[in-house]
Amino acid sequence: MTAQLPTTPATPATPTSPATPTPEEPRRGRARVVDLVVRVWRALLAWLVDHRYAVLVANLVGQIGIVGTGGAVRLTGSGLGCSTWPQCEPGSFVPQFHAAVTYHPFVEFGNRLMTFVLGFVAIAVAYVVWRDRTRARSFRLLGWAPLGGVAAQALIGGVLVLLELPPILVSLHFLISMALVALSLVLVHRDREGDGPPVALLDGATRALTHVLAVLLVVVLVLGTLTTGAGPHSGDDEVGYRLAVDPLLMTKIHAAAVWAFAAVLLVVVWRTRAAAGRPDAARTHRAALVLVALTVLQGSIGYVQTATGLPVALVNLHLVGAALLTAGTTRVWLCGRRRDEAAPAVPTAPAAPATTPA
């Protein structure tokens, strides 16, 4: 028989404790998150650059849209809905819910949010335009105009609240918006042009009429601002009529300026009709026809709102119409000339060194 060796009892397996993370692992996790954020950010910037024209159009739409939201603030009497600035209420940047709260703070706060959105779009405009070193410096500098304008408008809006809607600043607030609409349209138009010197596409008289049209637009906008300021929509129920002028008289003066604008526009349409067969000049005629439609629509709204007691919806539509009229007039003015690609600089040969006789 073979001897049987004693067997030792098997030791029970001890459960393995989870491996403690090394200090490097959290750092690797953070690095992966940072790397993902950087890649997404770079992809976003690349997308913006590849879609520059869409960014410029979005800025134009936003500049027109904020006229509507700003008009809603004034027309609903919400100009002082947020009692302070940059906060909405003391100690809070957002409206507070309580028993006595109305809709006014939310209307005013919504317009402030729109300013932030427009600010982000303006930053994108500045980035995609300024970084293009192939374009002229004048075009690249123009890319900063929306950002500067939005910052100025935010500052003026804050002063308006702190000073309880002074009439001059309220009017300036609107007129700066019109200037930003015009500059935004210039950016959209110039993006599809070259950087060469402007070449007139119209005869001298017709080109001069487009200049007159632009000047009359400024007159119409200023008189329209004064007319609205003489009306009942001051921006706050306690402020009342902002300007101590006769509303009916201002309405008549404003209407006369609009009729003068329309008359000059019809002459431009008539004088550019012969250019419709020339592709390089036909766009002026088309732009003028679009402006005629906008002018008829804007004038109709103006007369209807006056005859119906200035309802809020029509007055706000009239404000947006003023922005569209500004864009349309700017377009007509720009279409009267073209810019070709700038001629590349011809490098000059270095001068031969002077030789002295031996």
Side-chain angles (χ1 to χ4, degrees):
M1 293 177 60
T2 58
Q4 206 171 21
L5 297 175
T7 60
T8 57
T11 58
T14 57
T16 58
S17 59
T20 57
T22 61
E24 289 77 10
E25 290 182 355
R27 286 198 291 270
R28 291 196 194 99
R30 288 194 295 269
R32 284 194 291 268
V33 172
V34 171
D35 180 65
L36 177 62
V37 171
V38 170
R39 283 190 282 117
V40 170
W41 178 249
R42 288 177 176 173
L44 174 62
L45 293 180
W47 185 91
L48 291 175
V49 172
D50 293 339
H51 298 81
R52 183 173 71 187
Y53 188 77
V55 173
L56 299 181
V57 171
N59 172 67
L60 175 61
V61 173
Q63 296 290 353
I64 295 174
I66 201 170
V67 174
T69 61
V73 171
R74 189 177 76 185
L75 297 170
T76 59
S78 304
L80 298 178
C82 288
S83 61
T84 186
W85 184 88
Q87 294 180 327
C88 184
E89 300 293 342
S92 176
F93 284 93
V94 299
Q96 298 296 304
F97 289 94
H98 51 81
V101 71
T102 64
Y103 64 88
H104 297 305
F106 300 97
V107 175
E108 166 65 9
F109 183 70
N111 187 56
R112 293 188 183 188
L113 288 181
M114 182 65 179
T115 301
F116 279 106
V117 173
L118 201 54
F120 287 127
V121 176
I123 292 174
V125 169
Y127 174 76
V128 299
V129 173
W130 179 254
R131 73 180 303 277
D132 188 357
R133 303 292 176 176
T134 65
R135 297 300 302 267
R137 185 177 179 84
S138 59
F139 174 73
R140 293 168 57 225
L141 286 174
L142 188 62
W144 291 93
L147 183 58
V150 170
Q153 287 289 70
L155 181 61
I156 294 174
V159 174
L160 281 173
V161 173
L162 297 178
L163 298 182
E164 298 186 354
L165 308 178
I168 298 300
L169 284 183
V170 172
S171 301
L172 182 63
H173 204 39
F174 173 78
L175 293 176
I176 291 179
S177 287
M178 297 300 100
L180 285 173
V181 169
L183 288 173
S184 299
L185 194 282
V186 172
L187 272 170
V188 172
H189 187 91
R190 289 278 286 112
D191 186 67
R192 297 296 177 93
E193 285 188 319
D195 292 316
V199 178
L201 299 176
L202 306 172
D203 61 273
T206 307
R207 183 61 177 156
L209 285 173
T210 62
H211 297 327
V212 173
L213 200 64
V215 173
L216 284 174
L217 172 71
V218 175
V219 174
V220 167
L221 292 176
V222 172
L223 290 175
T225 304
L226 296 177
T227 303
T228 305
H233 302 298
S234 64
D236 183 71
D237 294 335
E238 299 179 0
V239 176
Y241 289 74
R242 290 187 289 113
L243 298 178
V245 294
D246 185 358
L248 182 59
L249 176 62
M250 288 305 307
T251 300
K252 292 179 179 179
I253 297 175
H254 176 55
V258 173
W259 278 110
F261 177 89
V264 174
L265 175 58
L266 289 177
V267 175
V268 171
V269 171
W270 180 75
R271 292 184 66 91
T272 57
R273 76 195 189 286
R278 302 203 318 267
D280 59 343
R283 60 179 184 172
T284 306
H285 186 69
R286 293 194 298 268
L289 289 177
V290 172
L291 185 56
V292 167
L294 291 174
T295 304
V296 171
L297 179 62
Q298 181 72 339
S300 301
I301 295 173
Y303 278 109
V304 171
Q305 72 173 6
T306 303
T308 55
L310 301 177
V312 168
L314 283 182
V315 175
N316 201 25
L317 194 60
H318 200 55
L319 293 174
V320 177
L324 294 174
L325 201 69
T326 299
T329 305
T330 307
R331 173 72 174 170
V332 171
W333 184 82
L334 288 171
C335 286
R337 89 289 184 279
R338 74 166 188 267
R339 287 177 181 266
D340 298 324
E341 295 295 332
V346 180
T348 58
T355 57
T356 56

